[in-house]
Amino acid sequence: MARRKIIAGNWKMNKTPSEAVALVNELKPLVANDDVDVVFCVPAIDIIPAMQAAKGSNICIGAENMYYEESGAYTGEISPAMLVDAGVKYVVLGHSERREYFAETDETVNKKVLKAFEHGITPIICCGESLTQREQGITIDWIRMQIKIAFLNVTAEQAKTAVIAYEPIWAIGTGKTATAEQAQEVCGAIRACIAELYDEATAEAIRIQYGGSVNAKTAPELFAKPDIDGGLVGGASLKPEFGDIVNYKK
Ligand code: PEP
């Protein structure tokens, strides 16, 4: 069975609540497409107003992060129950910016992944190599390690519903998209790694996105690759161009 594409925007630290409502209203008609899952991952404070603005459309509102404890003395954090109560279905975990600036590690990503599944939230699990790692020829080894740790103690049934975002760090926010061949090579290796960890059925079901300067021009070739099931889009998700990315086939 063909996997359904999932195209998600990552707003990062952009848009106030009122700006979020305006952007959702602007993009709503542009991202209409019943063949693709469309997710806007927005700052925590924007989740509820964005959700209200998206009502009745095909846009699903997601979060950009979540903590792995249930509740308590963790000032500034957002719990899984808070996201569930707000109606959130997807959460980005382990984005490279969180790893670089907020000390996120493969181990904390794993804890968050397990917690997200426990609460019925689908994690969008990010992985990706630095430019140095690519130049040293250790991209696949690195990604396999990230995947193996992120999926520790995750069951096959849970893994089947997960989303993985392969995002080469050198391509994020740089305007330098990986070629479709480079992206396919790594996404194929990720699927093979999932098959090793679980089985073929799980590997066939899991959805793998490419992320890193995706734009309306590069999306069609990237999303046509056999192991690329959509994209995680930063900069271009804040613009009308996101509609062209979602409707990359038209
Ligand atoms: C991202 O934020 O995950 C991302 C890929 O950003 P950009 O599309 O701007 O490179």
Side-chain angles (χ1 to χ4, degrees):
M1 209 183 76
R3 286 178 297 274
R4 191 174 158 85
K5 294 272 195 263
I6 174 163
I7 301 178
N10 171 21
W11 286 13
K12 313 195 188 205
M13 196 176 73
N14 292 297
K15 304 297 171 187
T16 65
S18 54
E19 289 169 347
V21 169
L23 185 59
V24 169
N25 284 331
E26 183 189 356
L27 296 187
K28 222 174 350 187
L30 306 178
V31 300
N33 182 342
D34 290 336
D35 301 330
V36 171
D37 287 337
V38 178
V39 187
F40 287 14
C41 297
V42 306
I45 198 167
D46 295 341
I47 289 173
I48 289 174
M51 190 103 45
Q52 282 162 354
K55 232 179 218 150
S57 77
N58 62 323
I59 301 168
C60 194
I61 301 297
E64 297 179 12
N65 185 33
M66 179 199 90
Y67 199 48
Y68 54 74
E69 295 290 353
E70 293 292 338
S71 64
Y74 304 102
T75 303
E77 291 296 322
I78 305 282
S79 77
M82 291 171 189
L83 295 184
V84 169
D85 191 57
V88 165
K89 301 274 189 306
Y90 294 92
V91 62
V92 176
L93 296 177
H95 191 281
S96 66
E97 288 152 15
R98 297 231 37 104
R99 294 175 191 258
E100 183 177 353
Y101 306 126
F102 303 100
E104 193 91 69
T105 64
D106 290 322
E107 287 71 24
T108 58
V109 172
N110 174 242
K111 286 183 180 182
K112 292 180 177 190
V113 167
L114 292 169
K115 208 32 119 177
F117 280 126
E118 206 181 292
H119 285 265
I121 306 172
T122 300
I124 299 177
I125 306 163
C126 301
C127 60
E129 82 287 3
S130 66
L131 188 57
T132 309
Q133 288 163 337
R134 176 158 284 269
E135 286 171 353
Q136 287 174 333
I138 58 169
T139 296
I140 304 288
D141 294 334
W142 177 259
I143 302 290
R144 282 173 57 85
M145 182 202 67
Q146 288 189 314
I147 294 297
K148 285 183 182 182
I149 300 175
F151 281 83
L152 213 64
N153 298 320
V154 172
T155 67
E157 283 320 299
Q158 290 170 332
K160 276 183 186 147
T161 67
V163 178
I164 296 172
Y166 165 57
E167 300 204 303
I169 297 167
W170 48 271
I172 299 178
T174 58
K176 223 175 169 187
T177 317
T179 64
E181 289 67 34
Q182 284 172 324
Q184 164 57 30
E185 184 197 6
V186 180
C187 291
I190 292 171
R191 202 174 301 285
C193 182
I194 294 293
E196 271 174 46
L197 289 176
Y198 299 98
D199 48 45
E200 283 300 330
T202 307
E204 277 306 307
I206 201 165
R207 292 189 288 179
I208 306 174
Q209 298 173 314
Y210 165 78
S213 299
V214 172
N215 58 43
K217 260 204 196 111
T218 55
E221 199 188 344
L222 285 162
F223 299 170
K225 291 292 179 192
D227 289 303
I228 302 180
D229 306 313
L232 183 57
V233 183
S237 73
L238 298 166
K239 303 187 234 169
E241 182 180 4
F242 195 53
D244 297 325
I245 295 174
V246 167
N247 289 294
Y248 66 99
K249 274 196 175 161
K250 290 176 190 152

